[in-house]
Amino acid sequence: MWTRRIDLNIVEPMANGFRYSDGIKMFENRIHCIPAAGADLKAIAQEKLTWLNDLIADRSFIAGERLTLADILLFAFVDFFVGVRQPLNEANKNIVAWHGRMKARPSAAA
């Protein structure tokens, strides 16, 4: 359940926001791009990160106290897009803390 929520609600709009804006030169000849949608898709991803922020307030990971595919999926995308004009909202303290825990894992350095 959590992996699907993360994928559809956060990762998909985050990735398409990149494809339709900052990354358009890499994708415009391969997929149908909608440049006018880029900013709105990024905004949707940020809104859903805020939604998730509230849900994980008392958790170490997205689904509770154990690492799941949902954490791995979200971390891979959030960590990439932080450097590509989709920074974490510092007001989302739980997401920022979660990202820090994920980044501190030895596997994140690989």
Side-chain angles (χ1 to χ4, degrees):
M1 172 179 81
W2 280 108
T3 302
R4 195 72 174 135
R5 286 178 177 172
I6 297 302
D7 185 34
L8 291 176
N9 293 320
I10 302 172
V11 170
E12 186 175 334
M14 189 179 278
N16 283 329
F18 172 75
R19 287 181 190 116
Y20 299 169
S21 61
D22 306 301
I24 196 163
K25 293 295 180 201
M26 291 185 283
F27 293 97
E28 65 187 351
N29 294 324
R30 296 188 284 163
I31 64 170
H32 178 80
C33 292
I34 308 165
D40 286 340
L41 287 163
K42 289 179 181 183
I44 289 169
Q46 289 301 315
E47 289 168 8
K48 291 301 183 176
L49 281 169
T50 298
W51 163 80
L52 182 62
N53 180 72
D54 296 337
L55 292 176
I56 66 169
D58 298 323
R59 303 177 190 171
S60 297
F61 299 103
I62 292 170
E65 294 307 310
R66 63 185 177 88
L67 182 74
T68 65
L69 181 58
D71 297 285
I72 296 166
L73 175 65
L74 186 60
F75 176 74
F77 279 84
V78 165
D79 201 55
F80 174 77
F81 286 117
V82 160
V84 189
R85 299 186 192 185
Q86 292 190 58
L88 287 176
N89 178 350
E90 295 296 323
N92 289 333
K93 301 288 186 201
N94 300 319
I95 294 291
V96 170
W98 166 86
H99 183 257
R101 286 190 295 277
M102 292 297 292
K103 195 147 187 90
R105 297 178 63 82
S107 57

